Amino acid sequence: VRIFAKRALLPNGWASNVTIDVAGATIAQVAAERDARSATEFVGTLVPGMPNLHSHAFQRAMAGHGERRASGRDDFWSWREAMYALALELGPVELHRIALATYRAMLRAGYTAVAEFHYIHRDPRGEWYADKCAASEALVCAAREAGIAICLLPALYSQAAPDGTPLGERQRRFATSAEDVLEIAAALRSRFAGDESVVVGACGHSLRAVTLRGFATLLEGSPRNCPVHVHVAEQEREVAEVEAAFGARPVELLVRSFDVNERWCLVHATQTTEAELASIAGSGAVAGLCPTTEANLGDGLFGLEAYLEAGGALGIGSDSNVSISPPEELRLLEYGQRLLHRRRILGAAGGRACGEALYALSAAGGARACGLRAGAIAPGLRADLVELPSGDDLEGAVVERTSAPQADPLDRYLFADVRAAPARVMAGGAWRA
Ligand SMILES: [Zn+2]
């Protein structure tokens, strides 16, 4: 297949009249300033597909249900009770059905890969299914059916609080030892061996829910190159609990205890000091930001400006799936900073347009967090491509005002075309939406 794009975002920036040769699931060749004659497919403006580096697919089933304030104080912790009630109801069949619909919605929105952070391992009574991988496999099968690449992250979840409090009754389906998780991960790797759209990572739920020893055992038993994910510092109470138990804040503790490096994805690095942000940036780890969920739960704002100044890597995730939209995540990320600092941060320095900088950074960081060769339009990477909406109404406005320079296509996509879905989405070399 040879695709001809009028404009495409390549690693060095925008290029015109670009041909992209796709062989199987991979981009074979990219060339700019070509003519369209040899092409088989014609598109307008093309950008890389966006990896979604943090999802709990099952939570899509409660999207829109948690918006009524139940008690005096409604926050992450009261929301979590509602989430537990849902988690207790779903078997592998329901998980598969919800995940399939959710992954299809992700593709329509321009996500071309998903890191599924999965912790419902046992049956509703808290016993293992005859096949320990039953729930994990339901999610991988849903992703394959939808056509989205998946990094499945079977989570280690072994205690209720950093002081070693045992799991509660309502957490019985999550209970795993490092050995359980290693067994599930190894079985999944062998069942899906040869499918490059399936990656299996190593995952500790959070520093609340794992012991340092258990997490270390999991990491030692996992392949050296696999992605490592952990919820790191979502809540102030979580930071206080970790500090009380270990005398260190979560990011400090993590960096002190493990070789945190570019394989790591630290999800919700929300409650972090500037020193912690600098240490994440210096480690090469990807900060996993989930602006719509973090806003929905009232978590707080990530220290984006300090983090980008320190050269940090980042990506975005739809997390609770209350919203499934890359532009909405990125717009909220940027707007949160502008409201916080009462000035424009403009994503990143370097003279690039804000939308382009945020989008390209998130695509590259997200691909790394998913363990996929993806996240840009370049030879050798997965053919994950998004054709931006044509934005005809805005074109009209520009024609009226002929002296205005054309808006950067990604600035328009993220900030002005807020309701427009991508025109087409290719994942792994096939048009999926
Ligand atoms: Zn999460």
Side-chain angles (χ1 to χ4, degrees):
V1 176
R2 172 166 288 176
I3 300 167
F4 177 85
K6 278 192 232 160
R7 256 184 316 198
L9 182 64
L10 303 184
N12 312 333
W14 290 105
S16 302
N17 302 324
V18 178
T19 57
I20 298 159
D21 294 349
V22 175
T26 309
I27 297 171
Q29 208 169 17
V30 180
E33 301 305 339
R34 295 301 159 111
D35 68 58
R37 269 173 300 179
S38 58
T40 53
E41 311 253 359
F42 301 86
V43 298
T45 302
L46 217 52
V47 296
M50 182 62 74
N52 180 352
L53 58 58
H54 191 66
S55 159
H56 308 283
F58 82 92
Q59 293 176 14
R60 180 68 178 164
M62 60 187 284
H65 289 257
E67 308 305 331
R68 190 186 296 263
R69 198 168 77 170
S71 58
R73 184 176 171 87
D74 199 327
D75 58 10
F76 171 86
W77 306 98
S78 51
W79 171 86
R80 193 175 71 157
E81 287 304 314
M83 183 270 285
Y84 283 176
L86 173 67
L88 283 169
E89 288 174 13
L90 306 172
V93 174
E94 293 79 21
L95 273 180
H96 174 267
R97 203 168 55 217
I98 296 167
L100 180 59
T102 305
Y103 295 158
R104 285 183 172 149
M106 286 179 190
L107 283 164
R108 287 195 298 275
Y111 285 123
T112 47
V114 58
E116 179 65 34
F117 197 109
H118 169 55
Y119 51 83
I120 306 179
H121 296 293
R122 293 170 181 254
D123 76 14
R125 293 164 305 156
E127 307 294 330
W128 281 106
Y129 290 105
D131 175 4
K132 260 189 180 175
C133 299
S136 300
E137 193 168 309
L139 294 164
V140 175
C141 289
R144 281 162 51 109
E145 218 172 311
I148 194 168
I150 187 168
C151 173
L152 199 278
L153 300 157
L156 172 62
Y157 201 122
S158 51
Q159 61 184 15
D163 62 4
T165 308
L167 290 177
E169 179 61 13
R170 286 154 73 72
Q171 296 165 316
R172 62 186 179 269
R173 298 192 66 187
F174 316 154
T176 41
S177 66
E179 290 73 21
D180 293 330
V181 176
L182 286 169
E183 186 187 332
I184 291 170
L188 291 173
R189 285 190 190 99
S190 91
R191 283 182 210 180
F192 297 103
D195 185 341
E196 290 186 353
S197 297
V198 179
V199 173
V200 180
C203 175
H205 178 274
S206 58
L207 293 170
R208 305 193 301 270
V210 303
T211 63
L212 294 180
R213 177 191 286 241
F215 202 9
T217 304
L218 173 61
L219 294 172
E220 281 157 22
S222 299
R224 288 198 61 80
N225 60 352
C226 85
V228 181
H229 287 231
V230 62
H231 289 127
V232 70
E234 182 167 12
Q235 291 292 321
E236 283 171 354
R237 186 170 118 194
E238 168 180 25
V239 174
E241 286 177 0
V242 168
E243 256 186 319
F246 297 98
R249 297 170 59 86
V251 172
E252 278 181 282
L253 177 67
L254 205 64
V255 171
R256 195 168 78 189
S257 310
F258 302 105
D259 172 26
V260 176
N261 56 35
E262 59 286 338
R263 290 194 298 135
W264 285 63
C265 177
L266 309 191
V267 182
H268 306 306
T270 313
Q271 314 301 337
T272 38
T273 62
E274 278 201 22
E276 287 178 299
L277 290 171
S279 84
I280 300 172
S283 74
V286 176
L289 309 179
C290 309
T292 64
T293 297
E294 289 157 5
N296 187 274
L297 296 175
D299 290 350
L301 289 166
F302 176 70
L304 181 68
E305 190 178 29
Y307 187 67
L308 289 177
E309 272 168 15
L314 61 83
I316 51 167
S318 62
D319 192 4
S320 69
N321 293 305
V322 66
S323 161
I324 299 178
S325 164
E328 193 181 5
E329 298 298 342
L330 292 173
R331 185 171 57 250
L332 187 55
L333 176 63
E334 177 68 21
Y335 279 176
Q337 302 298 311
R338 294 185 193 181
L339 289 166
L340 179 69
H341 298 290
R342 301 191 192 180
R343 56 189 165 78
R344 297 172 19 123
I345 306 298
L346 298 176
R352 283 201 290 180
C354 175
E356 181 194 328
L358 283 177
Y359 194 96
L361 206 59
S362 306
R368 185 138 60 79
C370 291
L372 292 165
R373 289 177 52 75
I377 301 178
L381 302 189
R382 281 174 55 84
D384 292 344
L385 305 169
V386 167
E387 183 187 2
L388 295 184
S390 62
D392 288 334
D393 55 331
L394 288 165
E395 296 285 4
V398 171
V399 170
E400 292 296 308
R401 195 185 149 210
T402 46
S403 62
Q406 232 184 0
D408 183 281
L410 276 164
D411 282 347
R412 209 169 68 183
Y413 181 49
L414 299 191
F415 298 108
D417 266 358
V418 296
R419 287 179 308 279
R424 286 209 283 181
V425 179
M426 174 179 277
W431 296 108
R432 311 284 182 182

